[in-house]
Amino acid sequence: MTQKGKSDSGSAGSAVLLAVLLVTLVAATVYVFAARLYPAPPPITSTAVLIDRQYDLTLYVAGVVFVLAQLGLAFAVFRFRDRGQPARFTRGNVAAEIIWTSLTFLAFLGLAIAGRNAWAEVRYASPAPDAIQVEVTTTQFVYTFRYPGADGKFGRLDPSLINAPAGNPLGLDPNDRAGNDDIVVPDLTVPVNRPIELLLRSQDVVHNFFVRELRLQQDSVPGMMIPVNFTSNRTGRFEIVCTQLCGLGHSKMHSFLDVVSESEYEAFLKQQAAGQ
Amino acid sequence: MSSTHAPAGSSRGFIRRYIFSTDHKVVGLQYLFLALAAVTLGIILSLLMRFHLVWPAVHLPFVGGGIMTPEQYLALVTMHGTIMVFFVLTTAPQSAFGNYFLPIQIGAPDMAFPTLNMLSFWLTLAAFLCVIAAFLVPGGAPISGWTAYPPLSGLGEVTGPGEGLGQTLWIVSILIFCFASLLGALNFIATTIDMRAPGMTLMRMPLTVWAWFVTAILSLLAFSVLLAGGILLLLDRSAGTSFFLPAGLVVNGELQSHNGGSPLLWQHLFWFFGHPEVYIAILPGMGVVSHILANFSRKPVFGYRAMAFALCAIGFLGFLVWGHHMFVSGMNPYSGLAFSVLTMSIGVPSAIKTFNWLGTLWGGKIQFQTPMLFAIGFVSFFVTGGLSGIFLAQPAVDTMLHATYYVVGHFHIVMGVAAVFGIFAATYYWFPKMFGRRMDERLGKLHFWLTFVGVYCVFMPMHFVGIEGGIRRYADSTGAGYLAALQPLHSFMTIAAFITASAQLIFFYNFFHSLKRGERAATNPWNATTLEWATSSPPPLNNFGDHFPRVHRGPYEYSVPGEKEDFLPQNLAPEGSGATGSREIPQRAYVTGMAMLLSGILMFFMALVSAYFVRKGFSSDWRPLEVPRVLWVATLILLASSGTLVFSRRDLLARQEDGFRHWWGVTAILGLFFLAAEAIAWRQLTAAGVSLGGNPSGSFFYVFAAAHALHLLGGIAALLVVAFRPTTRLTRGTATEVVSLYWHSMNALWVFLFILLLAGAQS
């Protein structure tokens, strides 16, 4: 350890290397994010667009702080490496503390407020009254989707009747007439530009329903019926994945969201009804 | 533990000095070596995981069967997380370095409760062996992650391999670990409050001491809740209760017999512990970094008061944000907004600390020895990891990032890197003091440069994988089609991981080689100011020999204008002498310790009471429980016993020996009568068909009653011990005061629980 007034000749190398690495870190990180080298797939709902905007806003704020802090660190270790100079004695600077604390507080509070809508739209708002309801049942390790059929009513389910090999994966009660026209399928087909309400439930453990393009993710919890809603403004086939660890088949548990035109959706319903 | 250590005046054998030692320095080193063993295992597990993700078809000879199955991968995920979080990140920064250096830095001869300290270590070791045993039992280690969400973790083998005995061993290990942490925490708190040297005010404590102190408070209050949750999970698995398991579960075609429990209840209990836990992992590192930055910049910590305040603020706010792990869990979305705002607020004291670290460097005379390099690295990683957190703190953005690799990148950078850099910094910094020898500086620097670059290469790409939708805890990419495109990033990370892990061998070699062959260290090789540098390297058995320090100034008086040296030791007296003789453990420390124990017990019961209310409101299977009349009698007996205890203490203080003994004995007997009455109530309920697993109100009765009865039994045992054993360190006045505090508190707790049960009988 060096005495006051004497310099540590080993400092220059470490200081330079640290500064160079930090600058490289900043450059590489900013490049990857700015060039959007690994983007999420394009959003297909207006809420997803709101979420993306909030993500971008957060990225700018975090990015600015990241750049300033890492470069500040790089500058400080380089500029104040031991070259024989005495250290500048100070216990702190209350004014500076107050200023940067307040700025941080305002920035974070601002972000929290700005993000309110994106959350509220999905979670607080009830779906439109003409929303198409689809029940989503998760089990180890498949998704099963149920439509109420022409009568618009879901039939009664009884866990003791569940028998997937026999063709009754949900435990539909044959004595309940409302269930006779229920459509039970392994993929989710919905019409474009129509509000969809998904009713998430689970038969065994906690699972999850996640579609990247919807920017929508929700756990399905046994013992609960959890509604989420969305309106897709684009047709296409999108992947549904499970993100909540559910057992050894977790990484294999996936399905598809098919957003189709209104006429294709009607055709789908007719075809399913005819097959019953 | 080195051969150069010759404790002054000790005639104890090898076993008492190095194995079952109550010396906080030995206990601290035992924890350190446990953490080193744990981190080695944890890294090996993670390398197996990273290897499998990129080369899944390659035969691994020691993996049973050759090709790793998904369940084996998930067992690795679970055990890697569990071992790293508990046995490395909770153990090394706090239990290892805190135990070693807290007493010395405050000028004390040892912790307040040395025997309890030793017990804490051995319990921690037992917990470690218990969790490792999960690898060896049929079914193997659990596959539910370190978070162990029920029903996956709550139903036994039917949900998957490893969920049988493996999961049970995991839970038992965690319960033992909770006990060990609680005992350790109350030791740290009592020591910090009651055993500081003369002149060491709170505002003259090193920031390391502040950090260990706040962390201990977090441990005390958080592990109590995990203890409660873990017990309830164990009951769900083996006693037929339904705290977390709802009705109608059909697993693998089998209908389960549970009823009405809430999986979200587990998540709340777990994360109420889990979030403070990550602050427990990082706070000591923050203290060490502040300490080292000042030392090697030759300047005081910038804004010392603000730094101490920020530690407290982070600790406090850390208890209010747990819901940010549960934004998409199905909990009320309005609480999502509340948790989000609180989580963003934690960013404020964190930012204060970052700015002040930069402020400490600013204008300094920076020297780049290895401890300093790791401290500077910590700042960089804390900035990166902290900033990725603000994305996850907002529920709308979290909706697309939850459970992706983005989260994995975030928590690895803050915990797996920043906190570990804190451990490295502490090791290089304090190695000379602990072992009397220096670690090799060139190897240390090489270790730093390779690791700094390496960990950024391993963990930064995880954010990109997550943004593009790569999901965590996936054993492979063969499910959804879009995952295949992420493989190149995974390959890069795996190669970086192997290189970085190899670089750690430099550290291990340096550490163990220097233990025997390192250059001899001086008393104060870093020209530092705090009290650990005022004693020999390593310190004598009671830390300071005959010259216990008196403190005359703050902890970071570097480069004070007008002084000859660029550092002023805390104990350097203006006149020159400064010695105050040896120091005993003050009696008031025992009262503080008991108050802390009671706080932990209170949190434990509050967790159970919260579970009670949540369970009651969650489902419709709640049937009111008729409270047996005999419990009214039991309650009166217990209240009477508080009265007799008061009489007993009054007589003791009036030196009426007979009166004291008489009333003391009556108190113990009344306690036994209470337990007998409770046993009668228990029999009546079981005879009436109220079983542990049937009606949830019955479950809670038995849990509350049993938990309270066990604590009361402990109280009766304490009464007997005080009556029959001559006390050594405690005076009889203190012993009776402390036991009375406990007894009255347990009685008040019973009254509260009894009222709760009565109120529940109405609805």
Side-chain angles (χ1 to χ4, degrees), chain A residues 1-2 4 6 39 54 58 70 80 82 85 88 91 97 100 119 140 203 212 217-219 239 242 252, chain B residues 159 250 303 328 333 355-356 363-367 380 384 394 399 402 468 474 476 481-482 557 563:
Chain A
M1 202 68 180
T2 57
K4 182 178 174 184
K6 301 207 180 79
Q54 185 62 18
T58 309
Q70 303 283 7
F80 298 106
D82 185 0
Q85 83 280 14
R88 297 184 211 161
R91 295 195 192 282
E97 299 240 42
W100 61 49
W119 180 246
Q140 287 180 325
Q203 271 183 6
R212 300 178 301 156
Q217 192 184 160
Q218 174 59 51
D219 282 355
E239 305 206 63
C242 176
K252 303 254 195 300
Chain B
T159 59
V250 175
V328 302
F355 293 134
N356 287 14
K365 179 188 168 69
I366 302 175
Q367 288 151 4
S380 175
T384 306
Q394 304 173 66
T399 305
H402 173 78
E468 218 180 298
Y474 268 18
D476 51 62
Y482 71 82
E557 299 299 284
E563 293 291 334

Side-chain angles (χ1 to χ4, degrees), chain B residues 104 147 183 226 252 334 383 401 424 439 573 575 731 755:
Chain B
I104 306 180
T147 47
L183 297 179
L226 182 63
N252 254 335
Y334 289 99
V383 167
L401 296 175
F424 282 138
M439 288 178 77
E575 318 83 78
T731 65
I755 292 175

Side-chain angles (χ1 to χ4, degrees), chain A residues 1-8 10-15 17-18 21-22 25 29 32-33 37-41 51-52 54-55 58-59 61-62 65-66 69-70 72-73 75-78 80-93 96-97 100-101 104-105 107-109 111-112 115-116 118-119 123-124 140-141 159-160 162 202-206 208 210 212 215-219 221-224 226 239-254, chain B residues 70-71 74 143-145 149-152 158-159 161 246 248-251 255 263-264 267 295-304 306 327-330 333-334 336-337 341 344 347-348 351-352 355-356 358 361-369 373 376 379-380 383-384 387 390-391 394-404 445 448-449 452-453 456 460 464 467-469 471-476 478-482 489 525-527 557-561 563-566 618:
Chain A
M1 202 68 180
T2 57
Q3 299 301 318
K4 182 178 174 184
K6 301 207 180 79
S7 80
D8 169 16
S11 287
S14 294
L17 190 46
L18 259 177
L21 286 176
L22 287 169
L25 167 72
T29 307
V32 173
F33 277 103
L37 293 184
Y38 302 100
I51 289 175
D52 278 4
Q54 185 62 18
Y55 169 84
T58 309
L59 186 60
V61 173
V65 175
F66 177 78
Q70 303 283 7
L73 184 63
F75 178 78
V77 302
F78 180 76
F80 298 106
R81 69 192 186 280
D82 185 0
R83 285 161 289 136
Q85 83 280 14
R88 297 184 211 161
F89 178 85
T90 174
R91 295 195 192 282
N93 184 330
E97 299 240 42
W100 61 49
T101 305
T104 309
F105 176 70
F108 286 167
L109 191 65
L111 273 179
R116 243 173 47 261
W119 180 246
R123 304 290 175 150
Y124 302 168
Q140 287 180 325
F141 299 99
S160 60
I162 291 173
S202 181
Q203 271 183 6
D204 43 33
V205 301
V206 183
N208 180 288
F210 180 35
R212 300 178 301 156
R215 307 287 191 265
L216 181 62
Q217 192 184 160
Q218 174 59 51
D219 282 355
V221 183
M224 294 173 74
I226 300 171
E239 305 206 63
I240 303 169
V241 291
C242 176
T243 71
Q244 178 54 46
L245 178 53
C246 55
L248 62 84
H250 176 49
S251 51
K252 303 254 195 300
M253 183 167 171
H254 74 288
Chain B
E71 55 267 34
L74 292 175
I143 62 171
S144 55
Y149 281 10
L152 180 61
V158 66
T159 59
L249 291 176
V250 175
V251 187
L255 183 61
L264 287 188
Q267 294 182 35
N295 196 159
F296 290 79
S297 303
R298 315 308 290 163
K299 290 175 66 222
V301 170
F302 188 95
Y304 168 90
F327 285 139
V328 302
S329 65
Y334 289 99
L337 181 64
V341 171
M344 297 293 264
V348 177
I352 290 177
F355 293 134
N356 287 14
L358 290 175
L361 291 166
W362 204 267
K365 179 188 168 69
I366 302 175
Q367 288 151 4
F368 293 90
Q369 279 87 346
L373 288 174
I376 293 171
V379 177
S380 175
V383 167
T384 306
L387 288 174
I390 70 174
F391 292 79
Q394 304 173 66
V397 181
D398 183 62
T399 305
M400 62 179 263
L401 296 175
H402 173 78
T404 66
K445 287 193 158 91
F448 170 77
W449 296 116
F452 183 81
V453 174
Y456 263 123
M460 277 307 249
F464 313 136
I467 292 166
E468 218 180 298
I471 308 300
R472 67 182 291 200
R473 295 165 164 174
Y474 268 18
D476 51 62
T478 58
Y482 71 82
L489 280 171
W526 311 123
N527 285 351
E557 299 299 284
Y558 292 102
S559 301
V560 179
E563 293 291 334
K564 187 164 61 78
E565 296 288 344
D566 76 341
F618 183 71

Side-chain angles (χ1 to χ4, degrees), chain A residues 208-264:
Chain A
N208 180 288
F209 173 95
F210 180 35
V211 178
R212 300 178 301 156
E213 290 83 352
L214 295 177
R215 307 287 191 265
L216 181 62
Q217 192 184 160
Q218 174 59 51
D219 282 355
S220 57
V221 183
M224 294 173 74
M225 177 76 90
I226 300 171
V228 291
N229 65 80
F230 67 91
T231 305
S232 175
N233 54 36
R234 199 179 308 184
T235 57
R237 170 161 259 225
F238 310 104
E239 305 206 63
I240 303 169
V241 291
C242 176
T243 71
Q244 178 54 46
L245 178 53
C246 55
L248 62 84
H250 176 49
S251 51
K252 303 254 195 300
M253 183 167 171
H254 74 288
S255 179
F256 292 98
L257 166 66
D258 287 310
V259 183
V260 298
S261 68
E262 193 68 43
S263 54
E264 280 171 312

Side-chain angles (χ1 to χ4, degrees), chain B residues 150-220:
Chain B
L152 180 61
S153 65
L155 290 169
E157 196 86 27
V158 66
T159 59
E163 285 307 308
L165 186 52
Q167 183 76 68
T168 303
L169 283 173
W170 183 94
I171 300 173
V172 169
S173 161
I174 297 300
L175 296 180
I176 299 173
F177 190 90
C178 287
F179 273 115
S181 299
L182 290 170
L183 297 179
L186 61 91
N187 225 335
F188 274 57
I189 297 170
T191 306
T192 309
I193 292 179
D194 292 311
M195 293 183 60
R196 280 171 281 132
M200 169 83 61
T201 60
L202 285 178
M203 287 298 150
R204 284 179 176 172
M205 296 195 314
L207 284 171
T208 39
V209 175
W210 272 106
W212 289 318
F213 179 57
V214 174
T215 301
I217 296 174
L218 293 178
S219 290
L220 184 71

Side-chain angles (χ1 to χ4, degrees), chain B residues 34 121 127 165 171 241 297 325 392 427 489 523 581 591-592 722 739 757 761:
Chain B
L34 172 60
F121 168 72
L165 186 52
I171 300 173
T241 52
S297 303
H325 300 271
L392 301 170
T427 307
L489 280 171
T523 301
V591 180
T592 307
V722 168
V739 172
L757 289 169

